[in-house]
C-alpha cells in the first residue's frame, strides 16, 4: 500500500483563505476514493485558532512532544481525525497558531519553520513514514528541505520521496540570510541551497530539493519558466525543468453541486439550469436590494481584490458596460483599497444595477454563482483558478483571459456547422478593449436564447471533477 502525506498551511473545511485550501481539502480524498485500499492518504496542517469546536470535538490526541527549532524548544501536540477515508493531523501550538488570522504576522517565517520541523518529527511519533511527502507552497517548503538536509541518516527517513507543488509562485517565503541559523536552524553549509538573490528563499530551496515539482496547470508550468511570470525564479525552474510538470486542479463536485447545495433557494441540474438560475437570481436580487427581474443578465466577480486578478482591466471597462447596457453586477471579495473604493463608487453611481459585498463568504459566493449569468475573471496571471470551474458547474458563462489554468480550462465560444464549440469567452492580450469586447459578446449571446442555452449546456457538461487529475497525481507518485 502506498503511503502519501500531504502537507499544507490550509485545508478545507478546517481553515482556508483561498484556492490552496480547496485543493488540500479535496485532492487527498479524491485520490483515496480512486485508489481505495491501495493507498493510505494522510494530511497535516496547523491547528489554527479559527478551527471550529465541532472539528476539535472529533480530534484525538496522538502525541505530545517537544520540537527543537534552532535554539528553541517548543511544545507540539499532534491531534488527528478521520474524514472521507483520509486521516487529518493537526499540529497544536497555541503560541504560533492561536491567532486571529492564518498569515500576515512578523514571525511567519518562524511559525512555518516550526510547523515543518513538527511535521517531520511527527512521522516518528505517529509511526507513519510516507513513501511520498507532498508539500504545498512556501509554508510547507521546509519539510522537503529538512528531510534532505537533516533527517536522511535517521532510521525511517531514508526512503521518503518528495513532491513540491507551486500553487502560486508570487509568494516564495523570502527572508534575510542573517536568520538562517537563528530561525531555520541551518548551518552556513546550507546557505547556497537556501539563498537566492541575496535572500533566503524557501520556495527555491524546496524546488532544488524535491524529487518532483508540480504546479497547478500545464500552461502555468510553461509560464513560470519565463521572467514575465516567474517572480524571479525562472532560472531555477529552467535548471529543474526535468522534474517540473503541470496538473490542472479539479473542484469538489459534492461541495459545489447546484442539485444538492443547501444554501440555494432552488436546486437545479443540467436539465433545468436556466429556470433554476432564474429563481436564484430573483432571490439574490431581493437580498441585494436590486430590481427583481429574471430577464436582466447578471454579471459577477468573486475574487480577491488584487491586481494580478486583472482588476485594472475591470476598472477600465465597467463604467462603460454598466452605463450602456441593461445589466446587473454583483461583486464579492476583499483586498486592495483602490479596488474596494472603485467598486463602492460604482455602486453609488448605479445603485439599481450594482451590489458590492466587501467580504469573504463561501455560502454567499455559492448563491452568486447560482444567480449570475456571466462570470468575469480576466486575471493577469492565474496558476489554475477554481472560480471559473465553480461558475461553470453552476451554469454561468465564464469570461476569462487566456493565461495559466484559465487557458487550460476555458476555450472560446464559436459555432461550427451548427454545433457549439468552446465553453466560455476568452481573450489573449492584457488589454481592456478585449475584455470589453468579450463581456459584450457574452451579454449579447444571453439574448440569443437558442445558442445561449446550447452554450450553457456545453458549459455545465464540462468535467472539472478531480477524476482525471487524481489519476495524473498517482502517475507522478508512481513514476518517482
Ligand atoms: C492559488 C492560485 C490559484 C489556484 C489555487 C489552487 O490560490 O492563485 O490559481 O487555483 O492556488 O491551486
Amino acid at each position: 500500500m502506498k503511503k502519501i502525506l500531504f502537507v499544507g498551511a490550509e485545508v478545507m473545511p478546517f481553515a482556508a483563505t483561498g484556492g490552496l485550501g480547496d485543493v488540500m481539502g479535496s485532492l487527498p480524498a479524491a485520490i483515496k476514493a480512486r485508489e481505495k485500499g491501495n493507498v493510505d492518504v494522510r494530511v497535516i496542517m496547523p491547528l489554527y485558532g479559527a478551527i471550529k469546536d465541532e472539528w476539535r470535538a472529533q480530534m484525538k490526541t496522538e502525541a505530545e512532544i517537544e520540537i527543537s527549532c534552532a535554539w528553541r524548544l517548543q511544545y507540539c501536540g499532534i491531534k488527528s481525525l478521520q474524514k472521507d477515508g483520509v486521516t487529518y493531523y493537526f499540529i497544536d501550538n497555541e503560541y504560533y497558531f492561536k491567532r486571529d488570522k492564518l498569515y500576515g504576522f512578523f514571525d511567519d517565517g518562524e511559525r512555518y519553520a516550526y510547523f515543518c520541523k513538527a511535521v517531520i518529527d511527527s512521522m516518528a511519533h505517529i509511526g507513519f513514514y510516507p513513501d511520498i511527502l507532498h508539500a504545498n507552497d512556501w509554508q510547507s517548503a521546509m519539510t522537503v528541505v529538512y528531510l534532505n538536509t537533516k533527517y536522511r541518516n535517521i532510521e525511517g527517513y531514508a526512503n521518503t520521496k518528495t513532491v513540491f507543488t507551486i500553487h502560486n509562485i508570487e509568494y516564495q517565503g523570502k527572508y534575510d540570510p542573517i536568520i538562517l541559523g537563528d530561525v531555520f536552524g541551518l548551518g552556513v553549509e546550507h546557505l547556497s541551497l537556501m539563498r537566492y538573490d541575496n535572500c533566503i528563499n524557501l520556495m527555491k530551496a524546496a524546488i532544488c530539493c524535491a524529487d518532483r515539482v508540480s504546479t497547478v496547470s500545464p500552461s502555468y508550468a510553461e509560464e513560470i519558466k519565463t521572467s514575465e511570470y516567474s517572480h524571479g525564479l525562472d532560472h531555477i525552474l529552467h535548471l529543474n525543468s526535468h522534474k517540473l510538470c503541470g496538473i490542472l486542479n479539479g473542484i469538489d463536485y459534492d461541495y459545489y453541486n447546484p442539485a444538492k447545495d443547501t444554501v440555494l433557494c432552488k436546486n437545479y441540474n443540467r436539465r433545468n439550469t436556466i429556470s433554476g438560475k432564474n429563481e436564484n437570481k430573483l432571490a439574490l436580487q431581493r437580498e441585494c436590494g436590486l430590481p427583481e427581474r429574471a430577464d436582466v443578465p447578471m454579471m459577477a466577480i468573486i475574487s480577491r481584490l488584487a491586481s494580478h486578478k486583472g482588476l485594472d482591466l475591470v476598472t477600465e471597462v465597467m463604467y462603460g458596460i454598466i452605463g450602456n447596457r441593461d445589466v446587473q453586477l454583483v461583486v464579492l471579495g476583499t483586498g486592495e483599497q483602490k479596488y474596494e473604493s472603485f467598486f463602492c463608487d460604482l455602486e453609488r453611481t448605479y445603485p439599481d444595477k450594482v451590489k458590492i459585498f466587501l467580504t469573504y463568504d463561501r455560502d454567499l459566493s455559492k448563491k452568486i454563482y447560482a444567480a449570475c449569468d456571466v462570470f468575469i475573471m480576466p486575471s493577469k496571471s492565474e496558476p489554475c483558478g477554481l472560480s471559473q470551474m465553480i461558475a461553470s458547474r453552476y451554469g454561468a458563462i465564464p469570461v476569462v483571459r487566456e493565461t495559466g489554468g484559465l487557458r487550460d480550462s476555458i476555450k472560446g465560444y464559436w459555432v461550427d456547422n451548427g454545433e457549439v464549440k468552446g465553453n466560455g469567452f476568452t481573450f489573449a492580450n492584457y488589454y481592456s478593449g478585449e475584455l470589453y469586447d468579450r463581456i459584450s459578446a457574452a451579454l449579447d449571446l444571453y439574448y440569443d436564447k437558442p445558442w445561449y442555452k446550447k452554450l450553457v449546456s456545453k458549459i455545465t457538461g464540462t468535467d472539472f471533477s478531480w477524476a482525471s487529475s487524481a489519476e495524473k497525481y498517482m502517475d507522478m507518485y508512481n513514476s518517482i
Side-chain angles (χ1 to χ4, degrees):
M1 190 189 327
K2 210 176 203 70
K3 293 183 274 182
I4 305 163
L5 180 64
F6 283 87
V7 191
E10 29 185 289
V11 181
M12 274 279 284
F14 309 111
T17 66
L20 171 65
D22 272 278
V23 172
M24 293 292 299
S26 52
L27 172 60
I31 289 179
K32 178 70 195 176
R34 194 192 138 75
E35 301 291 319
K36 308 227 161 46
N38 296 327
V39 291
D40 183 347
V41 184
R42 308 190 187 188
V43 181
I44 189 161
M45 70 178 291
L47 184 67
Y48 296 109
I51 296 181
K52 295 213 173 86
D53 288 343
E54 79 185 87
W55 299 116
R56 288 172 190 263
Q58 296 174 39
M59 289 177 193
K60 155 171 151 225
T61 301
E62 297 278 346
E64 290 185 287
I65 56 175
E66 274 188 329
I67 304 292
S68 69
C69 206
W71 49 268
R72 298 166 203 80
L73 212 52
Q74 288 282 4
Y75 168 83
C76 168
I78 308 165
K79 314 236 174 212
S80 72
L81 66 75
Q82 305 286 327
K83 191 175 156 295
D84 304 330
V86 175
T87 306
Y88 292 86
Y89 293 104
F90 302 84
I91 297 295
D92 180 21
N93 177 303
E94 295 197 345
Y95 168 66
Y96 285 130
F97 299 125
K98 196 177 177 188
R99 301 191 186 182
D100 59 357
K101 54 183 182 179
L102 271 51
Y103 326 109
F105 300 100
F106 75 99
D107 58 348
D108 279 356
E110 182 182 324
R111 293 169 73 222
Y112 289 101
Y114 160 82
F115 170 64
C116 292
K117 193 78 183 350
V119 168
I120 302 293
D121 282 357
S122 298
M123 294 177 186
H125 293 273
I126 55 184
F128 186 73
Y129 294 103
D131 299 306
I132 303 287
L133 172 76
H134 187 161
N136 294 269
D137 270 354
W138 75 267
Q139 300 92 336
S140 49
M142 285 305 287
T143 55
V144 180
V145 178
Y146 285 140
L147 188 65
N148 277 17
T149 54
K150 297 190 133 194
Y151 284 76
R152 287 301 190 189
N153 295 330
I154 303 172
E155 205 185 325
Y157 290 95
N159 298 323
T160 296
K161 303 288 183 197
T162 54
V163 174
F164 180 68
T165 296
I166 301 167
H167 293 261
N168 194 335
I169 205 163
E170 196 174 337
Y171 309 105
Q172 298 171 2
K174 289 192 200 175
Y175 297 95
D176 191 316
I178 210 147
I179 66 172
L180 182 69
D182 187 26
V183 170
F184 298 104
L186 293 174
V188 282
E189 69 276 20
H190 299 300
L191 189 58
S192 64
L193 167 67
M194 301 301 294
R195 187 165 56 187
Y196 192 62
D197 266 356
N198 288 327
C199 291
I200 288 178
N201 187 317
L202 306 186
M203 186 175 267
K204 176 254 174 175
I207 292 169
C208 294
C209 286
D211 293 303
R212 288 281 190 285
V213 177
S214 78
T215 185
V216 288
S217 70
S219 286
Y220 196 61
E222 291 305 313
E223 288 170 353
I224 56 177
K225 285 189 259 174
T226 67
S227 57
E228 196 187 338
Y229 287 92
S230 73
H231 291 267
L233 286 181
D234 43 304
H235 175 61
I236 297 299
L237 288 160
H238 268 290
L239 289 176
N240 290 281
S241 61
H242 57 285
K243 51 188 192 190
L244 175 66
C245 73
I247 302 176
L248 195 68
N249 286 332
I251 56 169
D252 182 338
Y253 261 33
D254 294 325
Y255 181 70
Y256 296 112
N257 182 0
K260 298 228 170 88
D261 200 329
T262 51
V263 309
L264 304 189
C265 72
K266 165 91 184 158
N267 289 114
Y268 58 92
N269 55 37
R270 289 197 63 208
R271 281 181 303 282
N272 62 353
T273 308
I274 301 210
S275 64
K277 287 185 74 63
N278 280 343
E279 288 201 37
N280 282 286
K281 193 196 289 186
L282 289 167
L284 184 68
Q285 288 166 331
R286 204 168 310 129
E287 191 172 334
C288 294
L290 291 171
E292 288 171 40
R293 290 172 48 203
D295 65 328
V296 60
M298 181 185 278
M299 306 182 289
I301 295 172
I302 300 176
S303 174
R304 236 172 330 120
L305 303 181
S307 81
H308 71 259
K309 293 290 178 183
L311 292 162
D312 293 322
L313 301 188
V314 172
T315 59
E316 283 174 36
V317 304
M318 251 333 144
Y319 275 90
I321 289 170
I322 307 270
N324 290 328
R325 304 191 71 123
D326 183 19
V327 67
Q328 293 180 349
L329 170 70
V330 178
V331 177
L332 172 66
T334 56
E336 290 173 37
Q337 178 68 45
K338 61 177 177 180
Y339 301 121
E340 294 195 353
S341 317
F342 168 83
F343 285 120
C344 291
D345 287 344
L346 186 70
E347 184 182 53
R348 265 193 297 278
T349 311
Y350 295 108
D352 282 347
K353 293 183 163 183
V354 176
K355 177 67 192 176
I356 309 299
F357 294 99
L358 294 179
T359 164
Y360 172 77
D361 177 336
R362 281 185 179 258
D363 285 351
L364 179 57
S365 79
K366 297 207 278 181
K367 291 184 195 174
I368 300 173
Y369 285 120
C372 75
D373 305 296
V374 173
F375 186 80
I376 299 168
M377 194 169 177
S379 306
K380 193 186 278 174
S381 75
E382 194 60 73
C384 175
L386 303 173
S387 309
Q388 79 282 13
M389 302 182 186
I390 303 167
S392 302
R393 175 89 164 135
Y394 284 76
I397 301 177
V399 178
V400 306
R401 191 169 93 80
E402 292 155 20
T403 182
L406 295 173
R407 177 165 173 265
D408 295 337
S409 58
I410 307 297
K411 306 285 176 217
Y413 165 80
W414 57 291
V415 175
D416 180 30
N417 256 331
E419 205 189 315
V420 168
K421 304 281 179 189
N423 56 343
F425 287 84
T426 72
F427 63 99
N429 299 302
Y430 195 71
Y431 166 56
S432 60
E434 292 190 16
L435 174 62
Y436 192 102
D437 178 73
R438 292 297 83 197
I439 293 177
S440 304
L443 292 173
D444 289 344
L445 186 76
Y446 177 80
Y447 294 104
D448 192 350
K449 287 300 177 206
W451 292 108
Y452 169 69
K453 282 184 187 154
K454 281 187 197 170
L455 177 58
V456 170
S457 156
K458 187 83 190 306
I459 288 171
T460 55
T462 310
D463 183 9
F464 290 125
S465 73
W466 273 110
S468 73
S469 297
E471 184 181 350
K472 293 197 178 98
Y473 275 102
M474 277 316 293
D475 290 345
M476 172 168 63
Y477 299 151
N478 288 328
S479 76
I480 306 177

